[in-house]
Amino acid sequence: MFFEHYNYWIFVILLMIGLYTVMSRSNLIKKMIGLSLFQTAVFLFYITLGKIEGGTAPILMEGEDVLYSNPLPHVLILTAIVVGVATTALGLALIVRIKETFGTIEEDDILRMEDEQK
Amino acid sequence: MEEFTDVFLMVLLIVGTLGVLYVNNLFVATMLLGAVSLIMALIFVNLDAVDVAFTEAAVGAGISTVLYLGTLALVGANEKPRGKRSPIPLLASLLVGGILAYATLDLPKIGSVDTPVQMSEVTERYVYTSPEEIGVPNMVTSVLASYRGFDTFGEVTVIFTAGIAVLLILRQLHRRREDEETPGNPPFQKVKAEGSPHDLVPHVVAKLLIPFILLFGLYVQFHGDFGPGGGFQAGVIFAAGFILYSLVFGLDNLKKLIPVHFVEIILAAGVLIYGGVGVVSMLKGANFLDYNILSADPIAGQHLGILIIEIGVGVTVTAAMLCIFYGFAGRSDELEKNNGE
């Protein structure tokens, strides 16, 4: 029972940590890091679904009955990782501009400044 | 034994992520995040996803660490400690986690062969028909570049857009009116990626390493049909070679070697190459991105199509990573120029 669902539980724990980081930390970079963790958790879930017991990497091998793990989740996650880093870069670029405009990257302080301006 | 490795790596993973959550120094958090990515890559190898592991190691542990460090150099690395935290985030994430954990009880046993994922017709086709239909041993490549070529085209476009957007955001100068001066805004930190002129060891080691990194990038690019690899990984590795050069020898030298406008051109050229293959196959009378028509022999056509679009992907990814790096590393120069005027 334990090993049968082990990966799924790790996925859930990782996802919870990521979500908690995004919600509880006020520092914008910490929030981006939390998003990355959340994303990694989803990657783990997808790859786990493609795994076959006793299978091997989906690269054609000599021999008749070789069992391959499912290549489709691999394709989806491979592109997701690269797209993920591109979008992270975009978020970080926005953080740099926020720092230049507000002088801080703490969400609490930014919200307070916005309130004061009103 | 495999189970032991699995459990060990996953425990390390959780400890690493908790470390990321609890340290206040963002530099430390970034380095830990890199370590978490590397552990994740090892777990992917364990789960047979070699291509994904490759990408995760290059992107998560390599490029994204550089990006975070570049940002930290501009915004400062200390997280403000906070006293009392509201319990709502913790409760909310526990709730989400609880629901998900409950749902996992219904999920099939890991690695079983009769799950909907493994039984689907699509899997059957990808695993058993693709070696004859596409003729490429690496199934991940044939699915990525041929069966789901249109998807990949979309993803390349996303990367292209992100590259452009980062440049747009970071090269634009903020014009602030005098009276709008925000209080407590510290003068902009001067961080210049000018390398380290006096450090002999990094210079020698980098000079030795960079040719091999670029060569390895080319190998990954062109060997992606037969083993793990392909345009995405190759692009990231190639860009990492140039970024290493810039970190050791200075941004200005890299800009002399590869001017920013050249990077912008090849960023677009990669997408154009990819789309061009689709248009050519349409002109020849087949569907968009149907490579069978590209040559008299369908298998040769598939090989040619996959080769060309993988080059397109590699070029765009390299250029996008360089664009992003130029954006972050050149930001302080840009501001300084503005202040001088």
Side-chain angles (χ1 to χ4, degrees), chain B residues 153-197:
Chain B
F153 187 45
E155 264 129 23
V156 171
T157 317
V158 171
I159 294 167
F160 166 75
T161 316
I164 292 199
V166 169
L167 272 191
L168 275 180
I169 293 171
L170 287 182
R171 281 167 94 199
Q172 185 188 46
L173 290 166
H174 181 60
R175 286 185 200 81
R176 187 190 294 136
R177 290 203 310 273
E178 292 289 308
D179 54 349
E180 220 185 292
E181 192 73 43
T182 19
N185 190 355
F188 212 85
Q189 252 180 306
K190 171 129 170 46
V191 262
K192 221 174 156 191
E194 61 190 3
S196 41

Short mmCIF file of all heavy atoms in Angstrom, two decimals, chain B residues 153-197:
data_model
loop_
_atom_site.label_atom_id
_atom_site.label_comp_id
_atom_site.label_asym_id
_atom_site.label_seq_id
_atom_site.Cartn_x
_atom_site.Cartn_y
_atom_site.Cartn_z
N PHE B 153 4.78 23.71 -31.92
CA PHE B 153 4.86 25.01 -32.58
C PHE B 153 4.31 26.10 -31.65
O PHE B 153 4.91 27.16 -31.48
CB PHE B 153 4.07 24.95 -33.89
CG PHE B 153 4.20 26.18 -34.75
CD1 PHE B 153 5.44 26.75 -34.96
CD2 PHE B 153 3.09 26.73 -35.35
CE1 PHE B 153 5.56 27.88 -35.76
CE2 PHE B 153 3.21 27.86 -36.15
CZ PHE B 153 4.44 28.43 -36.35
N GLY B 154 3.18 25.79 -31.03
CA GLY B 154 2.59 26.74 -30.09
C GLY B 154 3.53 27.04 -28.94
O GLY B 154 3.69 28.19 -28.52
N GLU B 155 4.18 26.00 -28.42
CA GLU B 155 5.07 26.21 -27.27
C GLU B 155 6.29 27.05 -27.66
O GLU B 155 6.74 27.88 -26.89
CB GLU B 155 5.51 24.87 -26.69
CG GLU B 155 4.65 24.47 -25.53
CD GLU B 155 4.11 23.07 -25.64
OE1 GLU B 155 4.71 22.26 -26.37
OE2 GLU B 155 3.09 22.80 -25.01
N VAL B 156 6.81 26.79 -28.87
CA VAL B 156 7.94 27.60 -29.33
C VAL B 156 7.52 29.07 -29.42
O VAL B 156 8.27 29.98 -29.07
CB VAL B 156 8.45 27.08 -30.69
CG1 VAL B 156 9.46 28.02 -31.29
CG2 VAL B 156 9.06 25.72 -30.52
N THR B 157 6.28 29.28 -29.87
CA THR B 157 5.79 30.66 -29.96
C THR B 157 5.69 31.31 -28.58
O THR B 157 5.99 32.49 -28.42
CB THR B 157 4.42 30.68 -30.65
OG1 THR B 157 4.47 29.79 -31.75
CG2 THR B 157 4.07 32.06 -31.13
N VAL B 158 5.29 30.50 -27.57
CA VAL B 158 5.22 31.04 -26.21
C VAL B 158 6.61 31.49 -25.75
O VAL B 158 6.78 32.58 -25.19
CB VAL B 158 4.65 29.99 -25.23
CG1 VAL B 158 4.79 30.47 -23.80
CG2 VAL B 158 3.21 29.70 -25.53
N ILE B 159 7.62 30.65 -26.02
CA ILE B 159 8.98 30.99 -25.61
C ILE B 159 9.45 32.26 -26.33
O ILE B 159 10.04 33.16 -25.72
CB ILE B 159 9.92 29.82 -25.89
CG1 ILE B 159 9.53 28.65 -25.01
CG2 ILE B 159 11.37 30.19 -25.66
CD1 ILE B 159 10.16 27.37 -25.41
N PHE B 160 9.13 32.32 -27.62
CA PHE B 160 9.46 33.50 -28.42
C PHE B 160 8.83 34.76 -27.81
O PHE B 160 9.49 35.77 -27.58
CB PHE B 160 8.94 33.25 -29.85
CG PHE B 160 8.87 34.44 -30.74
CD1 PHE B 160 10.03 34.96 -31.29
CD2 PHE B 160 7.65 35.00 -31.06
CE1 PHE B 160 9.96 36.05 -32.15
CE2 PHE B 160 7.58 36.09 -31.90
CZ PHE B 160 8.73 36.61 -32.45
N THR B 161 7.55 34.65 -27.47
CA THR B 161 6.84 35.80 -26.89
C THR B 161 7.46 36.21 -25.56
O THR B 161 7.65 37.40 -25.30
CB THR B 161 5.36 35.44 -26.67
OG1 THR B 161 4.88 34.77 -27.82
CG2 THR B 161 4.54 36.68 -26.43
N ALA B 162 7.78 35.20 -24.72
CA ALA B 162 8.36 35.53 -23.42
C ALA B 162 9.70 36.23 -23.59
O ALA B 162 9.99 37.21 -22.90
CB ALA B 162 8.52 34.27 -22.59
N GLY B 163 10.52 35.76 -24.54
CA GLY B 163 11.82 36.40 -24.80
C GLY B 163 11.63 37.86 -25.17
O GLY B 163 12.28 38.76 -24.61
N ILE B 164 10.71 38.12 -26.09
CA ILE B 164 10.45 39.50 -26.52
C ILE B 164 9.92 40.33 -25.36
O ILE B 164 10.34 41.47 -25.14
CB ILE B 164 9.44 39.50 -27.67
CG1 ILE B 164 10.09 38.88 -28.89
CG2 ILE B 164 8.97 40.90 -27.97
CD1 ILE B 164 9.41 39.23 -30.15
N ALA B 165 9.00 39.72 -24.60
CA ALA B 165 8.37 40.48 -23.52
C ALA B 165 9.39 40.90 -22.47
O ALA B 165 9.37 42.04 -21.99
CB ALA B 165 7.26 39.65 -22.88
N VAL B 166 10.32 39.99 -22.13
CA VAL B 166 11.34 40.34 -21.13
C VAL B 166 12.17 41.50 -21.64
O VAL B 166 12.45 42.46 -20.91
CB VAL B 166 12.22 39.12 -20.80
CG1 VAL B 166 13.43 39.54 -20.00
CG2 VAL B 166 11.43 38.09 -20.03
N LEU B 167 12.56 41.44 -22.91
CA LEU B 167 13.35 42.54 -23.45
C LEU B 167 12.56 43.85 -23.42
O LEU B 167 13.09 44.90 -23.07
CB LEU B 167 13.77 42.23 -24.88
CG LEU B 167 15.06 41.46 -25.07
CD1 LEU B 167 15.45 41.47 -26.52
CD2 LEU B 167 16.19 42.05 -24.25
N LEU B 168 11.27 43.77 -23.77
CA LEU B 168 10.43 44.98 -23.78
C LEU B 168 10.34 45.58 -22.39
O LEU B 168 10.44 46.79 -22.21
CB LEU B 168 9.02 44.63 -24.25
CG LEU B 168 8.78 44.61 -25.75
CD1 LEU B 168 7.34 44.24 -26.03
CD2 LEU B 168 9.10 45.97 -26.35
N ILE B 169 10.15 44.70 -21.38
CA ILE B 169 9.97 45.20 -20.02
C ILE B 169 11.28 45.77 -19.48
O ILE B 169 11.31 46.83 -18.87
CB ILE B 169 9.47 44.07 -19.10
CG1 ILE B 169 8.07 43.66 -19.51
CG2 ILE B 169 9.45 44.53 -17.65
CD1 ILE B 169 7.59 42.42 -18.80
N LEU B 170 12.38 45.07 -19.73
CA LEU B 170 13.62 45.46 -19.06
C LEU B 170 14.45 46.48 -19.83
O LEU B 170 15.36 47.07 -19.27
CB LEU B 170 14.46 44.22 -18.77
CG LEU B 170 13.92 43.37 -17.63
CD1 LEU B 170 14.81 42.20 -17.37
CD2 LEU B 170 13.76 44.19 -16.36
N ARG B 171 14.16 46.69 -21.10
CA ARG B 171 14.95 47.70 -21.80
C ARG B 171 14.27 49.04 -21.82
O ARG B 171 14.86 50.06 -22.15
CB ARG B 171 15.25 47.25 -23.22
CG ARG B 171 16.38 46.25 -23.25
CD ARG B 171 16.46 45.60 -24.56
NE ARG B 171 17.40 46.26 -25.43
CZ ARG B 171 17.38 46.11 -26.74
NH1 ARG B 171 16.46 45.38 -27.31
NH2 ARG B 171 18.28 46.70 -27.50
N GLN B 172 13.01 49.03 -21.42
CA GLN B 172 12.28 50.29 -21.38
C GLN B 172 12.71 51.02 -20.12
O GLN B 172 12.91 50.41 -19.07
CB GLN B 172 10.81 49.94 -21.30
CG GLN B 172 9.91 51.12 -21.37
CD GLN B 172 8.50 50.66 -21.07
OE1 GLN B 172 8.27 49.91 -20.13
NE2 GLN B 172 7.57 51.09 -21.88
N LEU B 173 12.88 52.33 -20.24
CA LEU B 173 13.33 53.06 -19.06
C LEU B 173 12.14 53.72 -18.39
O LEU B 173 11.20 54.17 -19.04
CB LEU B 173 14.36 54.11 -19.47
CG LEU B 173 15.65 53.41 -19.89
CD1 LEU B 173 16.54 54.36 -20.62
CD2 LEU B 173 16.34 52.83 -18.69
N HIS B 174 12.22 53.71 -17.09
CA HIS B 174 11.11 54.24 -16.32
C HIS B 174 11.26 55.74 -16.22
O HIS B 174 12.22 56.24 -15.68
CB HIS B 174 11.14 53.61 -14.93
CG HIS B 174 10.04 54.07 -14.06
ND1 HIS B 174 8.72 53.88 -14.40
CD2 HIS B 174 10.05 54.71 -12.89
CE1 HIS B 174 7.97 54.39 -13.46
NE2 HIS B 174 8.74 54.90 -12.53
N ARG B 175 10.30 56.46 -16.76
CA ARG B 175 10.36 57.93 -16.65
C ARG B 175 9.45 58.36 -15.52
O ARG B 175 8.24 58.28 -15.61
CB ARG B 175 9.94 58.56 -17.97
CG ARG B 175 10.99 58.39 -19.02
CD ARG B 175 10.66 59.12 -20.29
NE ARG B 175 11.45 58.54 -21.36
CZ ARG B 175 11.12 57.43 -22.00
NH1 ARG B 175 10.01 56.80 -21.70
NH2 ARG B 175 11.89 56.94 -22.95
N ARG B 176 10.10 58.84 -14.47
CA ARG B 176 9.30 59.21 -13.30
C ARG B 176 9.30 60.73 -13.20
O ARG B 176 10.34 61.38 -13.36
CB ARG B 176 9.93 58.59 -12.06
CG ARG B 176 9.09 58.79 -10.84
CD ARG B 176 9.87 58.37 -9.63
NE ARG B 176 10.13 56.94 -9.62
CZ ARG B 176 11.31 56.42 -9.31
NH1 ARG B 176 12.32 57.19 -9.04
NH2 ARG B 176 11.46 55.12 -9.28
N ARG B 177 8.15 61.29 -12.95
CA ARG B 177 8.10 62.74 -12.77
C ARG B 177 8.72 63.11 -11.44
O ARG B 177 8.70 62.34 -10.49
CB ARG B 177 6.64 63.22 -12.81
CG ARG B 177 6.02 63.10 -14.19
CD ARG B 177 4.86 64.07 -14.32
NE ARG B 177 3.94 63.95 -13.19
CZ ARG B 177 2.95 63.07 -13.17
NH1 ARG B 177 2.74 62.26 -14.17
NH2 ARG B 177 2.14 63.01 -12.12
N GLU B 178 9.26 64.32 -11.37
CA GLU B 178 9.98 64.74 -10.16
C GLU B 178 9.15 64.59 -8.90
O GLU B 178 9.56 64.03 -7.92
CB GLU B 178 10.41 66.22 -10.30
CG GLU B 178 11.47 66.46 -11.36
CD GLU B 178 12.83 65.93 -10.95
OE1 GLU B 178 13.26 66.28 -9.85
OE2 GLU B 178 13.44 65.16 -11.71
N ASP B 179 7.90 65.08 -8.98
CA ASP B 179 7.06 65.11 -7.77
C ASP B 179 6.58 63.71 -7.39
O ASP B 179 6.02 63.51 -6.33
CB ASP B 179 5.87 66.05 -7.98
CG ASP B 179 5.08 65.71 -9.22
OD1 ASP B 179 5.56 64.89 -10.04
OD2 ASP B 179 3.99 66.24 -9.39
N GLU B 180 6.79 62.76 -8.27
CA GLU B 180 6.26 61.43 -8.02
C GLU B 180 7.27 60.54 -7.29
O GLU B 180 7.00 59.39 -7.01
CB GLU B 180 5.92 60.78 -9.36
CG GLU B 180 4.63 59.98 -9.35
CD GLU B 180 4.44 59.30 -10.67
OE1 GLU B 180 4.22 60.02 -11.67
OE2 GLU B 180 4.56 58.08 -10.71
N GLU B 181 8.42 61.13 -7.01
CA GLU B 181 9.51 60.38 -6.36
C GLU B 181 9.02 59.58 -5.16
O GLU B 181 8.48 60.12 -4.20
CB GLU B 181 10.57 61.38 -5.90
CG GLU B 181 11.89 60.76 -5.49
CD GLU B 181 12.68 60.27 -6.68
OE1 GLU B 181 12.73 61.00 -7.68
OE2 GLU B 181 13.22 59.17 -6.58
N THR B 182 9.19 58.29 -5.23
CA THR B 182 8.72 57.47 -4.11
C THR B 182 9.69 57.60 -2.95
O THR B 182 10.89 57.59 -3.13
CB THR B 182 8.64 55.99 -4.50
OG1 THR B 182 9.45 55.79 -5.64
CG2 THR B 182 7.23 55.58 -4.76
N PRO B 183 9.14 57.73 -1.75
CA PRO B 183 10.02 57.89 -0.60
C PRO B 183 10.74 56.58 -0.30
O PRO B 183 10.20 55.50 -0.51
CB PRO B 183 9.05 58.25 0.52
CG PRO B 183 7.72 57.71 0.09
CD PRO B 183 7.72 57.70 -1.40
N GLY B 184 11.91 56.71 0.23
CA GLY B 184 12.63 55.53 0.68
C GLY B 184 13.14 54.66 -0.43
O GLY B 184 13.45 53.50 -0.22
N ASN B 185 13.23 55.21 -1.65
CA ASN B 185 13.74 54.41 -2.75
C ASN B 185 15.26 54.50 -2.77
O ASN B 185 15.82 55.55 -3.04
CB ASN B 185 13.15 54.93 -4.05
CG ASN B 185 13.43 53.98 -5.20
OD1 ASN B 185 14.15 53.00 -5.01
ND2 ASN B 185 12.89 54.28 -6.35
N PRO B 186 15.96 53.44 -2.45
CA PRO B 186 17.42 53.54 -2.40
C PRO B 186 17.98 53.72 -3.80
O PRO B 186 17.36 53.29 -4.77
CB PRO B 186 17.84 52.20 -1.82
CG PRO B 186 16.73 51.28 -2.17
CD PRO B 186 15.48 52.09 -2.27
N PRO B 187 19.12 54.40 -3.92
CA PRO B 187 19.73 54.54 -5.23
C PRO B 187 20.01 53.16 -5.80
O PRO B 187 20.33 52.23 -5.07
CB PRO B 187 21.04 55.28 -4.94
CG PRO B 187 21.29 55.12 -3.49
CD PRO B 187 19.95 54.96 -2.86
N PHE B 188 19.85 53.05 -7.08
CA PHE B 188 19.93 51.73 -7.69
C PHE B 188 21.30 51.10 -7.49
O PHE B 188 22.33 51.72 -7.70
CB PHE B 188 19.62 51.85 -9.18
CG PHE B 188 18.96 50.63 -9.65
CD1 PHE B 188 17.60 50.49 -9.53
CD2 PHE B 188 19.72 49.59 -10.16
CE1 PHE B 188 16.99 49.34 -9.93
CE2 PHE B 188 19.11 48.45 -10.56
CZ PHE B 188 17.74 48.31 -10.45
N GLN B 189 21.25 49.88 -7.03
CA GLN B 189 22.50 49.15 -6.80
C GLN B 189 23.26 49.00 -8.11
O GLN B 189 22.68 48.70 -9.14
CB GLN B 189 22.14 47.75 -6.34
CG GLN B 189 22.42 47.49 -4.90
CD GLN B 189 22.01 46.07 -4.60
OE1 GLN B 189 20.87 45.69 -4.87
NE2 GLN B 189 22.91 45.31 -4.08
N LYS B 190 24.55 49.19 -8.02
CA LYS B 190 25.31 49.03 -9.26
C LYS B 190 25.80 47.58 -9.33
O LYS B 190 26.65 47.15 -8.58
CB LYS B 190 26.49 50.00 -9.25
CG LYS B 190 27.46 49.78 -10.35
CD LYS B 190 27.75 51.07 -11.09
CE LYS B 190 28.91 50.91 -12.05
NZ LYS B 190 28.87 49.73 -12.84
N VAL B 191 25.17 46.85 -10.23
CA VAL B 191 25.67 45.48 -10.45
C VAL B 191 25.99 45.39 -11.91
O VAL B 191 25.14 45.56 -12.77
CB VAL B 191 24.62 44.42 -10.11
CG1 VAL B 191 24.83 43.87 -8.75
CG2 VAL B 191 23.24 44.94 -10.32
N LYS B 192 27.20 45.14 -12.18
CA LYS B 192 27.57 45.09 -13.58
C LYS B 192 28.15 43.71 -13.82
O LYS B 192 28.96 43.21 -13.06
CB LYS B 192 28.61 46.16 -13.86
CG LYS B 192 28.36 46.85 -15.18
CD LYS B 192 29.31 47.99 -15.37
CE LYS B 192 29.46 48.27 -16.84
NZ LYS B 192 30.54 49.17 -17.10
N ALA B 193 27.68 43.10 -14.89
CA ALA B 193 28.21 41.78 -15.21
C ALA B 193 29.51 41.96 -15.96
O ALA B 193 29.61 41.73 -17.14
CB ALA B 193 27.20 41.01 -16.03
N GLU B 194 30.54 42.42 -15.25
CA GLU B 194 31.77 42.67 -15.97
C GLU B 194 32.79 41.55 -15.76
O GLU B 194 33.95 41.69 -16.10
CB GLU B 194 32.36 44.01 -15.58
CG GLU B 194 32.71 44.13 -14.12
CD GLU B 194 33.05 45.55 -13.74
OE1 GLU B 194 32.95 46.43 -14.61
OE2 GLU B 194 33.41 45.77 -12.59
N GLY B 195 32.32 40.45 -15.19
CA GLY B 195 33.22 39.34 -15.02
C GLY B 195 34.21 39.62 -13.91
O GLY B 195 34.08 40.59 -13.17
N SER B 196 35.16 38.77 -13.77
CA SER B 196 36.13 38.94 -12.71
C SER B 196 37.53 38.91 -13.31
O SER B 196 38.07 37.84 -13.55
CB SER B 196 35.96 37.81 -11.69
OG SER B 196 35.72 36.61 -12.40
N PRO B 197 38.10 40.08 -13.61
CA PRO B 197 39.35 40.13 -14.38
C PRO B 197 40.53 39.49 -13.68
O PRO B 197 41.49 39.12 -14.33
CB PRO B 197 39.56 41.62 -14.59
CG PRO B 197 38.74 42.28 -13.56
CD PRO B 197 37.60 41.39 -13.27
#
